[in-house]
Amino acid sequence: EIQANTSVSEIETWLRVFKDEKVGLATGAIDSKDSVADLVKSAVSNWNQATSTSSVAVPEQQELSFTPMSDAAIIKEDPVERAGKLARAVELVESNGLTYTGSVSTRSIRRTLLSTRNAHYDLSATMVDASCTVSDSNGNSGWARHFGTELKHIDLLNLAELAAKKAIKGKSKTSIKPGKHTVILEPAAVGSMLLFLGFLSFGGRVFNRGTSFLAGKVGQRVMPEHFTIYDDTSDLRSHGWPIDYEGTPSQKAMLVEKGIARGVVHDATTANQAGASSTGHALAPGNGFGPYPRCVHMDGGTETLDSITQKLDKAILVTRLWYINYANPMRTMITGTTRDGTFLINNGKIGDAVSDMRFVVSILEAFNRSVYLSKERRYVRQFGSTLHVPWMVIPDFPFTEVL
């Protein structure tokens, strides 16, 4: 049964006025000439009240390095046809005595930027996101999620199969004690850790404050040689944009290259503070985070997932992480739990499920202990960011409690 089938149209407008190195900002919806006038008055009023200068400048027209993916199949998709695909996925799950819960969403986004210095950008992009949790009557569950910028990137039947296999396998459970275990993290789990590391360390604001682990270490080794991490909005499946919210063209930003710290991403404000140039990573005005990478890529390794798994005598396979919170930001330490598919690996083969567990771990220390990254990578969408990451093997992953 489809619980909600909705279509939402939203318009957000930001207006900046510039004079004497001060900026006045106003936000609101524009649906008439009067609303335009009101927004201008509000921006001018805020400019009059501004007490400090701004590093943000009036954008000028520049050549963009790429055009975002705008998929006609997403824009024209028939809701009835989508419901039919979803029905087939649900039927597959229910035929195994399981319950399907999930969502499918598509978005078509248009961004227009205009300035009095002749900047005029009119860009469109699409995305599709589907996830499902499959469970049995005893609470055993499996989960899967697909993300893309074209409709062909999503296969609802395959999604259901992946989640159902884990739910079925979860019926056979083995007890395990908390402590330090070797883990193989699936991309969703790796993506969560990389996302939180981005919040904590890869943005200009935290770098300038000295709370990033990269502060004072650019050019030094901070991770193993098999780690290369960068932000690249031009990868069309990452749902990136060629300009940021300040009108600055987005640049590929190398963060860690073969284990060596290379830098962070900046907007105009943090770049000015650091004596650097903006990398085109400004977020929407009024955000409380400052810039951080949102199209993050981690290079894979040289071995396939199968060959890596076969090398593991005993390990724990982790599908995804849940309830993640900061424990000690200065040490990149987080806490959370495993969820929706946690299994033992014995002699290179995936075996029985184990109960979910709580962990407290330093992301940086865990990455530094990693021994394998798979050649295969997957796109993961979390909290408005896209992460393109491999499977990862980490010894001595600390679990503190069995749930």
Side-chain angles (χ1 to χ4, degrees), residues 181-187 189-190 193 224 226-227 298 301 303-318 345 365-375 390-397:
H181 296 274
T182 296
V183 297
I184 179 165
L185 302 180
E186 293 197 347
V190 175
M193 295 180 72
H226 57 271
F227 270 81
M298 178 186 288
E303 297 189 55
T304 65
L305 176 62
D306 283 345
S307 66
I308 291 171
T309 304
Q310 290 169 12
K311 293 181 179 181
L312 302 177
D313 292 331
K314 188 173 184 180
I316 297 174
L317 174 68
V318 177
I345 294 178
E365 291 174 9
F367 281 6
N368 270 286
R369 288 196 304 274
S370 73
V371 290
Y372 295 113
L373 302 176
S374 69
K375 181 184 293 185
W391 281 254
M392 182 185 297
V393 176
I394 303 173
D396 297 326
F397 196 90

Short mmCIF file of all heavy atoms in Angstrom, two decimals, residues 181-187 189-190 193 224 226-227 298 301 303-318 345 365-375 390-397:
data_model
loop_
_atom_site.label_atom_id
_atom_site.label_comp_id
_atom_site.label_asym_id
_atom_site.label_seq_id
_atom_site.Cartn_x
_atom_site.Cartn_y
_atom_site.Cartn_z
N HIS A 181 37.00 -5.73 17.07
CA HIS A 181 36.81 -6.72 16.02
C HIS A 181 37.24 -6.13 14.68
O HIS A 181 37.11 -4.92 14.45
CB HIS A 181 35.34 -7.14 15.92
CG HIS A 181 34.81 -7.82 17.14
ND1 HIS A 181 34.94 -9.17 17.36
CD2 HIS A 181 34.15 -7.33 18.21
CE1 HIS A 181 34.37 -9.49 18.51
NE2 HIS A 181 33.89 -8.39 19.05
N THR A 182 37.73 -6.99 13.79
CA THR A 182 37.94 -6.57 12.41
C THR A 182 36.58 -6.42 11.74
O THR A 182 35.72 -7.28 11.88
CB THR A 182 38.78 -7.60 11.64
OG1 THR A 182 40.08 -7.67 12.23
CG2 THR A 182 38.92 -7.21 10.18
N VAL A 183 36.39 -5.32 11.03
CA VAL A 183 35.12 -5.08 10.34
C VAL A 183 35.38 -4.86 8.85
O VAL A 183 36.45 -4.39 8.46
CB VAL A 183 34.36 -3.87 10.91
CG1 VAL A 183 33.96 -4.09 12.35
CG2 VAL A 183 35.17 -2.58 10.76
N ILE A 184 34.39 -5.22 8.06
CA ILE A 184 34.36 -4.78 6.67
C ILE A 184 33.11 -3.91 6.53
O ILE A 184 31.98 -4.38 6.71
CB ILE A 184 34.38 -5.96 5.67
CG1 ILE A 184 34.32 -5.44 4.23
CG2 ILE A 184 33.29 -6.98 5.95
CD1 ILE A 184 34.70 -6.49 3.20
N LEU A 185 33.34 -2.64 6.32
CA LEU A 185 32.26 -1.67 6.24
C LEU A 185 31.78 -1.55 4.80
O LEU A 185 32.58 -1.35 3.88
CB LEU A 185 32.73 -0.29 6.72
CG LEU A 185 33.31 -0.20 8.14
CD1 LEU A 185 33.73 1.24 8.43
CD2 LEU A 185 32.29 -0.66 9.17
N GLU A 186 30.46 -1.69 4.61
CA GLU A 186 29.89 -1.44 3.29
C GLU A 186 29.91 0.06 2.98
O GLU A 186 30.09 0.88 3.89
CB GLU A 186 28.47 -2.02 3.22
CG GLU A 186 28.44 -3.53 3.29
CD GLU A 186 27.11 -4.11 2.79
OE1 GLU A 186 26.14 -3.35 2.63
OE2 GLU A 186 27.07 -5.34 2.57
N PRO A 187 29.72 0.44 1.72
CA PRO A 187 29.82 1.87 1.35
C PRO A 187 28.95 2.81 2.17
O PRO A 187 29.37 3.94 2.46
CB PRO A 187 29.42 1.86 -0.12
CG PRO A 187 29.90 0.53 -0.61
CD PRO A 187 29.63 -0.42 0.51
N ALA A 189 28.24 2.63 5.30
CA ALA A 189 28.93 2.86 6.56
C ALA A 189 30.19 3.71 6.36
O ALA A 189 30.47 4.63 7.13
CB ALA A 189 29.28 1.53 7.22
N VAL A 190 30.95 3.40 5.30
CA VAL A 190 32.13 4.21 4.99
C VAL A 190 31.71 5.65 4.70
O VAL A 190 32.33 6.62 5.16
CB VAL A 190 32.88 3.63 3.78
CG1 VAL A 190 34.05 4.53 3.37
CG2 VAL A 190 33.39 2.23 4.10
N MET A 193 31.04 7.71 7.86
CA MET A 193 32.26 8.13 8.53
C MET A 193 32.96 9.25 7.76
O MET A 193 33.44 10.23 8.35
CB MET A 193 33.19 6.94 8.72
CG MET A 193 32.63 5.88 9.66
SD MET A 193 33.72 4.45 9.91
CE MET A 193 35.00 5.18 10.91
N PRO A 224 47.06 6.54 5.62
CA PRO A 224 47.88 5.60 4.86
C PRO A 224 47.96 5.99 3.38
O PRO A 224 47.13 6.75 2.87
CB PRO A 224 47.13 4.27 5.03
CG PRO A 224 46.30 4.43 6.26
CD PRO A 224 45.92 5.88 6.29
N HIS A 226 47.24 4.45 0.78
CA HIS A 226 46.15 4.03 -0.10
C HIS A 226 44.92 4.93 0.02
O HIS A 226 43.89 4.62 -0.58
CB HIS A 226 45.77 2.56 0.14
CG HIS A 226 45.36 2.22 1.54
ND1 HIS A 226 46.26 1.84 2.50
CD2 HIS A 226 44.15 2.19 2.15
CE1 HIS A 226 45.62 1.58 3.64
NE2 HIS A 226 44.34 1.79 3.45
N PHE A 227 45.01 6.04 0.74
CA PHE A 227 43.89 6.97 0.88
C PHE A 227 44.08 8.20 0.00
O PHE A 227 45.03 8.96 0.18
CB PHE A 227 43.73 7.43 2.33
CG PHE A 227 42.83 6.55 3.14
CD1 PHE A 227 43.31 5.37 3.69
CD2 PHE A 227 41.50 6.89 3.36
CE1 PHE A 227 42.49 4.54 4.44
CE2 PHE A 227 40.67 6.08 4.10
CZ PHE A 227 41.17 4.90 4.64
N MET A 298 36.34 8.93 -2.61
CA MET A 298 37.47 8.21 -2.05
C MET A 298 37.89 7.16 -3.06
O MET A 298 37.07 6.33 -3.47
CB MET A 298 37.11 7.55 -0.73
CG MET A 298 38.24 6.73 -0.10
SD MET A 298 37.71 5.81 1.38
CE MET A 298 37.53 7.17 2.55
N GLY A 301 40.66 0.60 -3.93
CA GLY A 301 41.94 -0.10 -3.91
C GLY A 301 42.17 -0.89 -5.18
O GLY A 301 41.57 -0.62 -6.23
N GLU A 303 42.14 -4.47 -5.20
CA GLU A 303 41.56 -5.81 -5.14
C GLU A 303 40.04 -5.75 -5.12
O GLU A 303 39.44 -4.79 -4.62
CB GLU A 303 42.06 -6.54 -3.89
CG GLU A 303 43.55 -6.76 -3.87
CD GLU A 303 43.98 -7.68 -2.74
OE1 GLU A 303 43.44 -8.81 -2.67
OE2 GLU A 303 44.83 -7.27 -1.94
N THR A 304 39.42 -6.80 -5.65
CA THR A 304 37.96 -6.86 -5.65
C THR A 304 37.43 -7.17 -4.26
O THR A 304 38.16 -7.69 -3.40
CB THR A 304 37.45 -7.94 -6.62
OG1 THR A 304 37.86 -9.22 -6.14
CG2 THR A 304 38.00 -7.70 -8.02
N LEU A 305 36.17 -6.89 -4.07
CA LEU A 305 35.54 -7.17 -2.78
C LEU A 305 35.60 -8.66 -2.47
O LEU A 305 35.88 -9.06 -1.32
CB LEU A 305 34.09 -6.69 -2.81
CG LEU A 305 33.25 -6.99 -1.57
CD1 LEU A 305 33.82 -6.32 -0.35
CD2 LEU A 305 31.80 -6.56 -1.79
N ASP A 306 35.35 -9.51 -3.45
CA ASP A 306 35.38 -10.96 -3.22
C ASP A 306 36.76 -11.42 -2.76
O ASP A 306 36.87 -12.22 -1.82
CB ASP A 306 34.99 -11.70 -4.50
CG ASP A 306 33.49 -11.67 -4.76
OD1 ASP A 306 32.74 -11.34 -3.83
OD2 ASP A 306 33.08 -11.97 -5.90
N SER A 307 37.80 -10.93 -3.42
CA SER A 307 39.15 -11.38 -3.05
C SER A 307 39.53 -10.89 -1.66
O SER A 307 40.21 -11.60 -0.91
CB SER A 307 40.18 -10.90 -4.08
OG SER A 307 40.30 -9.48 -4.07
N ILE A 308 39.08 -9.70 -1.29
CA ILE A 308 39.35 -9.18 0.05
C ILE A 308 38.60 -10.01 1.10
O ILE A 308 39.17 -10.40 2.12
CB ILE A 308 38.94 -7.69 0.14
CG1 ILE A 308 39.88 -6.84 -0.71
CG2 ILE A 308 38.95 -7.21 1.59
CD1 ILE A 308 39.43 -5.40 -0.84
N THR A 309 37.33 -10.29 0.84
CA THR A 309 36.52 -11.06 1.79
C THR A 309 37.13 -12.43 2.04
O THR A 309 37.16 -12.93 3.17
CB THR A 309 35.08 -11.19 1.27
OG1 THR A 309 34.53 -9.90 1.04
CG2 THR A 309 34.21 -11.93 2.28
N GLN A 310 37.63 -13.06 0.99
CA GLN A 310 38.20 -14.39 1.11
C GLN A 310 39.45 -14.42 1.98
O GLN A 310 39.83 -15.47 2.51
CB GLN A 310 38.52 -14.95 -0.27
CG GLN A 310 37.27 -15.30 -1.09
CD GLN A 310 37.59 -15.61 -2.54
OE1 GLN A 310 38.75 -15.79 -2.91
NE2 GLN A 310 36.55 -15.67 -3.37
N LYS A 311 40.08 -13.27 2.17
CA LYS A 311 41.28 -13.19 3.00
C LYS A 311 40.97 -13.05 4.49
O LYS A 311 41.87 -13.15 5.32
CB LYS A 311 42.14 -12.00 2.57
CG LYS A 311 42.75 -12.13 1.19
CD LYS A 311 43.59 -10.91 0.86
CE LYS A 311 44.23 -11.05 -0.52
NZ LYS A 311 45.09 -9.88 -0.85
N LEU A 312 39.72 -12.81 4.83
CA LEU A 312 39.35 -12.54 6.22
C LEU A 312 38.97 -13.83 6.93
O LEU A 312 37.98 -14.47 6.60
CB LEU A 312 38.18 -11.55 6.27
CG LEU A 312 38.43 -10.19 5.58
CD1 LEU A 312 37.17 -9.33 5.63
CD2 LEU A 312 39.60 -9.46 6.22
N ASP A 313 39.76 -14.23 7.94
CA ASP A 313 39.45 -15.42 8.71
C ASP A 313 38.23 -15.18 9.60
O ASP A 313 37.34 -16.02 9.68
CB ASP A 313 40.64 -15.82 9.57
CG ASP A 313 41.82 -16.31 8.74
OD1 ASP A 313 41.56 -16.86 7.65
OD2 ASP A 313 42.96 -16.13 9.17
N LYS A 314 38.23 -14.04 10.26
CA LYS A 314 37.10 -13.71 11.13
C LYS A 314 36.91 -12.20 11.13
O LYS A 314 37.84 -11.43 11.39
CB LYS A 314 37.35 -14.21 12.55
CG LYS A 314 36.13 -14.07 13.46
CD LYS A 314 36.36 -14.73 14.80
CE LYS A 314 35.10 -14.67 15.65
NZ LYS A 314 35.30 -15.32 16.99
N ALA A 315 35.70 -11.77 10.83
CA ALA A 315 35.41 -10.34 10.77
C ALA A 315 33.91 -10.14 10.91
O ALA A 315 33.14 -11.11 10.99
CB ALA A 315 35.90 -9.74 9.45
N ILE A 316 33.51 -8.88 10.95
CA ILE A 316 32.09 -8.52 11.03
C ILE A 316 31.75 -7.62 9.85
O ILE A 316 32.43 -6.61 9.63
CB ILE A 316 31.77 -7.80 12.35
CG1 ILE A 316 32.03 -8.74 13.53
CG2 ILE A 316 30.33 -7.32 12.37
CD1 ILE A 316 31.89 -8.06 14.89
N LEU A 317 30.74 -8.00 9.09
CA LEU A 317 30.26 -7.19 7.97
C LEU A 317 29.21 -6.22 8.50
O LEU A 317 28.22 -6.62 9.12
CB LEU A 317 29.66 -8.07 6.89
CG LEU A 317 29.00 -7.35 5.71
CD1 LEU A 317 30.04 -6.61 4.88
CD2 LEU A 317 28.22 -8.33 4.84
N VAL A 318 29.40 -4.93 8.22
CA VAL A 318 28.50 -3.89 8.70
C VAL A 318 27.83 -3.22 7.51
O VAL A 318 28.50 -2.64 6.65
CB VAL A 318 29.25 -2.84 9.54
CG1 VAL A 318 28.32 -1.71 9.97
CG2 VAL A 318 29.90 -3.50 10.76
N ILE A 345 31.82 -12.93 9.43
CA ILE A 345 32.54 -13.52 8.31
C ILE A 345 33.53 -14.53 8.90
O ILE A 345 34.37 -14.18 9.74
CB ILE A 345 33.30 -12.45 7.50
CG1 ILE A 345 32.31 -11.50 6.81
CG2 ILE A 345 34.21 -13.11 6.46
CD1 ILE A 345 32.95 -10.38 6.04
N GLU A 365 41.60 7.69 13.35
CA GLU A 365 42.37 6.54 13.81
C GLU A 365 41.91 5.26 13.11
O GLU A 365 42.74 4.40 12.76
CB GLU A 365 42.25 6.40 15.32
CG GLU A 365 42.94 7.53 16.09
CD GLU A 365 42.69 7.47 17.59
OE1 GLU A 365 42.12 6.45 18.06
OE2 GLU A 365 43.04 8.44 18.29
N ALA A 366 40.60 5.13 12.89
CA ALA A 366 40.09 3.95 12.21
C ALA A 366 40.59 3.91 10.76
O ALA A 366 41.03 2.84 10.28
CB ALA A 366 38.57 3.94 12.24
N PHE A 367 40.53 5.03 10.07
CA PHE A 367 41.02 5.07 8.70
C PHE A 367 42.51 4.73 8.64
O PHE A 367 42.98 4.08 7.71
CB PHE A 367 40.77 6.45 8.09
CG PHE A 367 39.35 6.67 7.62
CD1 PHE A 367 38.36 5.74 7.86
CD2 PHE A 367 39.01 7.83 6.93
CE1 PHE A 367 37.05 5.95 7.43
CE2 PHE A 367 37.71 8.04 6.49
CZ PHE A 367 36.73 7.10 6.75
N ASN A 368 43.26 5.18 9.65
CA ASN A 368 44.69 4.90 9.66
C ASN A 368 44.99 3.43 9.93
O ASN A 368 46.09 2.96 9.61
CB ASN A 368 45.39 5.79 10.69
CG ASN A 368 45.86 7.11 10.10
OD1 ASN A 368 46.84 7.15 9.35
ND2 ASN A 368 45.17 8.19 10.41
N ARG A 369 44.03 2.72 10.52
CA ARG A 369 44.23 1.28 10.75
C ARG A 369 43.75 0.44 9.56
O ARG A 369 43.98 -0.78 9.54
CB ARG A 369 43.48 0.82 12.01
CG ARG A 369 44.09 1.28 13.31
CD ARG A 369 43.54 0.47 14.48
NE ARG A 369 42.09 0.52 14.58
CZ ARG A 369 41.39 1.46 15.19
NH1 ARG A 369 42.03 2.48 15.75
NH2 ARG A 369 40.07 1.42 15.24
N SER A 370 43.06 1.04 8.62
CA SER A 370 42.46 0.26 7.53
C SER A 370 43.54 -0.46 6.73
O SER A 370 44.65 0.03 6.55
CB SER A 370 41.65 1.17 6.60
OG SER A 370 42.52 1.97 5.83
N VAL A 371 43.19 -1.66 6.27
CA VAL A 371 44.16 -2.48 5.53
C VAL A 371 43.74 -2.74 4.08
O VAL A 371 44.59 -3.05 3.25
CB VAL A 371 44.41 -3.81 6.26
CG1 VAL A 371 45.18 -3.57 7.55
CG2 VAL A 371 43.11 -4.55 6.54
N TYR A 372 42.43 -2.63 3.80
CA TYR A 372 41.95 -2.87 2.43
C TYR A 372 40.87 -1.87 2.07
O TYR A 372 39.99 -1.55 2.88
CB TYR A 372 41.37 -4.28 2.26
CG TYR A 372 42.34 -5.41 2.43
CD1 TYR A 372 42.23 -6.28 3.51
CD2 TYR A 372 43.36 -5.62 1.50
CE1 TYR A 372 43.10 -7.35 3.67
CE2 TYR A 372 44.25 -6.68 1.66
CZ TYR A 372 44.12 -7.54 2.74
OH TYR A 372 44.99 -8.57 2.90
N LEU A 373 40.92 -1.40 0.83
CA LEU A 373 39.81 -0.70 0.19
C LEU A 373 39.47 -1.49 -1.07
O LEU A 373 40.37 -1.87 -1.83
CB LEU A 373 40.19 0.73 -0.20
CG LEU A 373 40.67 1.66 0.91
CD1 LEU A 373 41.09 3.01 0.33
CD2 LEU A 373 39.59 1.86 1.95
N SER A 374 38.19 -1.74 -1.31
CA SER A 374 37.81 -2.52 -2.49
C SER A 374 37.98 -1.71 -3.77
O SER A 374 37.92 -0.47 -3.76
CB SER A 374 36.36 -2.99 -2.37
OG SER A 374 35.48 -1.89 -2.48
N LYS A 375 38.18 -2.43 -4.86
CA LYS A 375 38.22 -1.78 -6.17
C LYS A 375 36.86 -1.19 -6.52
O LYS A 375 36.76 -0.11 -7.10
CB LYS A 375 38.65 -2.79 -7.23
CG LYS A 375 38.76 -2.22 -8.63
CD LYS A 375 39.09 -3.31 -9.65
CE LYS A 375 40.47 -3.85 -9.43
NZ LYS A 375 40.87 -4.83 -10.50
N PRO A 390 34.42 3.10 -1.48
CA PRO A 390 34.55 1.64 -1.56
C PRO A 390 34.12 0.96 -0.27
O PRO A 390 33.73 1.61 0.70
CB PRO A 390 36.06 1.47 -1.76
CG PRO A 390 36.65 2.59 -0.94
CD PRO A 390 35.68 3.75 -1.06
N TRP A 391 34.19 -0.37 -0.26
CA TRP A 391 34.12 -1.14 0.97
C TRP A 391 35.47 -0.97 1.68
O TRP A 391 36.51 -0.78 1.03
CB TRP A 391 33.89 -2.62 0.68
CG TRP A 391 32.49 -3.02 0.35
CD1 TRP A 391 31.62 -3.70 1.17
CD2 TRP A 391 31.77 -2.83 -0.88
NE1 TRP A 391 30.42 -3.93 0.53
CE2 TRP A 391 30.48 -3.40 -0.73
CE3 TRP A 391 32.09 -2.21 -2.09
CZ2 TRP A 391 29.52 -3.38 -1.74
CZ3 TRP A 391 31.14 -2.18 -3.11
CH2 TRP A 391 29.87 -2.76 -2.92
N MET A 392 35.50 -1.06 3.01
CA MET A 392 36.73 -0.82 3.76
C MET A 392 36.88 -1.85 4.89
O MET A 392 35.93 -2.11 5.61
CB MET A 392 36.73 0.60 4.35
CG MET A 392 38.00 0.96 5.12
SD MET A 392 37.91 2.59 5.94
CE MET A 392 37.71 3.68 4.53
N VAL A 393 38.08 -2.40 5.03
CA VAL A 393 38.40 -3.33 6.11
C VAL A 393 39.23 -2.61 7.17
O VAL A 393 40.27 -2.02 6.86
CB VAL A 393 39.16 -4.56 5.61
CG1 VAL A 393 39.55 -5.48 6.77
CG2 VAL A 393 38.31 -5.33 4.59
N ILE A 394 38.74 -2.65 8.42
CA ILE A 394 39.43 -1.98 9.52
C ILE A 394 39.59 -2.97 10.68
O ILE A 394 38.59 -3.44 11.23
CB ILE A 394 38.63 -0.76 10.03
CG1 ILE A 394 38.37 0.23 8.90
CG2 ILE A 394 39.37 -0.07 11.19
CD1 ILE A 394 37.44 1.39 9.30
N PRO A 395 40.81 -3.30 11.07
CA PRO A 395 41.01 -4.13 12.27
C PRO A 395 40.75 -3.32 13.55
O PRO A 395 40.79 -2.09 13.54
CB PRO A 395 42.49 -4.53 12.18
CG PRO A 395 42.92 -4.20 10.78
CD PRO A 395 42.06 -3.05 10.35
N ASP A 396 40.48 -4.02 14.63
CA ASP A 396 40.37 -3.42 15.96
C ASP A 396 39.33 -2.31 16.01
O ASP A 396 39.54 -1.26 16.65
CB ASP A 396 41.72 -2.88 16.44
CG ASP A 396 42.76 -3.99 16.60
OD1 ASP A 396 42.37 -5.11 16.98
OD2 ASP A 396 43.94 -3.72 16.35
N PHE A 397 38.21 -2.55 15.39
CA PHE A 397 37.09 -1.56 15.47
C PHE A 397 36.42 -1.76 16.82
O PHE A 397 35.95 -2.87 17.14
CB PHE A 397 36.12 -1.80 14.32
CG PHE A 397 35.17 -0.65 14.07
CD1 PHE A 397 35.52 0.35 13.19
CD2 PHE A 397 33.94 -0.59 14.72
CE1 PHE A 397 34.65 1.41 12.95
CE2 PHE A 397 33.09 0.45 14.49
CZ PHE A 397 33.42 1.46 13.59
#
